[in-house]
Amino acid sequence: MTADIYDLGSSATPWRYFWHPVCTLNELREAKPGGRGPLQSTLLGERIGVAEIGGKVVAFADRCPHRGAALTLGWAEDDGLRCRYHGWCYDTEGRCIEVPALEPDTPIPARAQVTMYDCEVKYDLVWVRLDSRADTSIPEFPAWEDGSQRCIMGEPYLWPCSAGRRVENFIDTTHFPYAHQGTLGAPPNVVFPVFPVDQLPGRLEFETETFLAYNPGDNTYGPPNSPESTFLPPATYVVQMPFTTVLKFTWSETFQTQIYMHPTPIDGETCRSYWFTCHSHDGSADEVHLQLQDMVLGEDLPVVASHLPRRIGEAHEEVSVPTDRSSILWRKWLRELAHAGERGPEELMRCLDTTNIESEVTAPAS
Ligand code: FES
Ligand SMILES: [Fe+2]
């Protein structure tokens, strides 16, 4: 059993301090008749539940303190969450407020308390933080909040790889001519510069120049042209540590696109990615943008699902080169965050604000 080992040999502990989406708002609405859940999910190896009670979306350990049954088998009621087994009912703080089998006025044991987690709805996603002792924030998504672009939520996808593997795939540019041969890239356009990477509080950023690739042709990007055509314009990659990635392309002064993606660690070797494709308001059909992403993801999946191990291992198990710079820096910070998180929330927050990784790291030549 290796699922309790996360990227770079870390435990789940550091990642419990961060916010992760556990379902879409729509999935919660559709989980049960009535539209309030409960819905079962898994986050960092823990079985959790989400429900709307009294107008508030709450997240809880999916275990009834009475006999350990899954509370998500039960019902969300106006004032509480009711267990399907013996009908105990819990309020939004997790306190048991009713034990139907008891005569009225019989005291309810104080230990009849469900573990509740921080929970917020943002960007039509339900975000959960398992450990509230660090002052982390839900990752930013400016295009959604300021309405500057049309943001379309894609169907979340479950991949047999760690969250870290998914992040690295997302910020990797040199796989374009091979994993996306004939779509996002193609030989002979295979040589890439080593892009400088900026480390800012809580985030890594780097910019790519325009590079030669191949335009598959569609309604958005114009008719197909030759493999020598310029397809991918300058791009900005952002990783909000540890796992939220944003990729912005500037096609022209008036047309920009971006992809926002967060792979939620289900366990150490499985992640479920929540994502959006966004574009300047140009009236194009949502399907055009979703289909492009479906194609790209379909090309990535077999490769990413084939990694051994399914999580990121130790440096000596893989060989890096200078053009892997973004992933080398991100791994270094991830490892430092993991170590800091094991020492506690204050150390974790200090590490999240650090800005010295770029100067410390030299990409190995072999
Ligand atoms: S197990 Fe939930 S009420 Fe008994
Ligand atoms: Fe890819």
Side-chain angles (χ1 to χ4, degrees):
M1 178 74 177
T2 55
D4 54 349
I5 302 174
Y6 289 74
D7 291 302
L8 300 167
S10 65
S11 73
T13 303
W15 320 126
R16 293 168 56 92
Y17 291 118
F18 291 95
W19 290 90
H20 305 277
V22 299
C23 65
T24 70
L25 192 55
N26 203 37
E27 287 171 331
L28 173 60
R29 295 280 173 246
E30 293 185 347
K32 297 273 166 63
R36 299 185 295 191
L39 171 148
Q40 189 179 74
S41 187
T42 306
L43 174 58
L44 290 161
E46 292 208 15
R47 189 174 77 180
I48 66 167
V50 176
E52 184 185 319
I53 298 168
K56 188 175 172 211
V57 177
V58 296
F60 49 88
D62 192 15
R63 179 183 180 277
C64 177
H66 179 215
R67 288 293 180 262
L71 285 165
T72 48
L73 294 171
W75 303 271
E77 299 181 352
D78 288 343
D79 303 324
L81 180 67
R82 190 171 298 278
C83 182
R84 183 193 188 99
Y85 201 5
H86 309 93
W88 292 22
C89 190
Y90 300 90
D91 68 12
T92 56
E93 307 293 317
R95 280 183 302 252
C96 182
I97 50 174
E98 188 188 347
V99 176
L102 292 178
E103 292 285 357
D105 301 329
T106 309
I108 295 173
R111 287 178 53 238
Q113 167 79 41
V114 175
T115 302
M116 305 299 289
Y117 299 119
D118 291 337
C119 182
E120 281 190 32
V121 176
K122 205 164 187 184
Y123 324 136
D124 287 349
L125 298 172
V126 179
W127 296 78
V128 172
R129 180 171 64 175
L130 295 177
D131 192 324
S132 59
R133 289 177 299 155
D135 188 24
T136 51
S137 306
I138 292 175
E140 293 172 7
F141 187 4
W144 175 276
E145 302 203 273
D146 64 21
S148 60
Q149 298 205 316
R150 167 143 182 83
C151 297
I152 312 157
M153 187 190 293
E155 188 72 24
Y157 49 89
L158 187 72
W159 279 10
C161 67
S162 68
R165 291 285 195 197
R166 179 71 194 103
V167 170
E168 283 204 326
N169 169 245
F170 192 95
I171 63 173
D172 181 298
T173 50
T174 61
H175 79 288
F176 283 2
Y178 290 94
H180 302 294
Q181 194 162 156
T183 52
L184 298 183
N189 307 310
V190 298
V191 176
F192 287 76
V194 178
F195 301 110
V197 179
D198 286 330
Q199 189 189 15
L200 307 164
R203 59 209 274 143
L204 285 177
E205 277 191 31
F206 66 99
E207 291 184 11
T208 63
E209 301 149 12
T210 298
F211 56 83
L212 293 173
Y214 177 67
N215 182 353
D218 58 39
N219 291 339
T220 303
Y221 305 109
N225 39 28
S226 73
E228 287 76 38
S229 63
T230 299
F231 174 48
L232 292 174
T236 304
Y237 286 79
V238 180
V239 185
Q240 299 180 63
M241 296 299 290
F243 301 132
T244 310
T245 52
V246 187
L247 168 56
K248 303 176 191 173
F249 283 114
T250 302
W251 302 88
S252 71
E253 269 188 25
T254 55
F255 191 67
Q256 288 95 38
T257 60
Q258 62 178 271
I259 301 161
Y260 180 98
M261 191 273 298
H262 181 106
T264 292
I266 302 301
D267 57 32
E269 300 191 337
T270 317
C271 65
R272 189 172 199 238
S273 294
Y274 296 83
W275 62 283
F276 298 81
T277 174
C278 313
H279 60 276
S280 305
H281 298 281
D282 68 340
S284 54
D286 292 355
E287 274 314 301
V288 171
H289 301 275
L290 290 168
Q291 280 167 7
L292 175 66
Q293 295 311 312
D294 279 351
M295 179 191 69
V296 171
L297 293 170
E299 292 167 349
D300 278 318
L301 174 56
V303 181
V304 178
S306 75
H307 286 299
L308 288 176
R310 284 162 66 173
R311 58 194 149 77
I312 298 170
E314 296 303 320
H316 67 264
E317 295 175 276
E318 297 178 4
V319 181
S320 295
V321 292
T323 42
D324 295 321
R325 182 164 187 73
S326 57
S327 90
I328 292 166
L329 287 165
W330 175 79
R331 282 185 186 197
K332 182 174 191 300
W333 201 356
L334 194 77
R335 183 188 299 280
E336 291 183 1
L337 275 176
H339 290 164
E342 295 291 353
R343 293 195 297 273
E346 295 83 14
E347 288 288 314
L348 181 95
M349 292 310 293
R350 222 182 333 269
C351 183
L352 205 53
D353 282 339
T354 189
T355 54
N356 62 1
I357 282 180
E358 167 74 9
S359 60
E360 285 177 12
V361 171
T362 305
S366 61

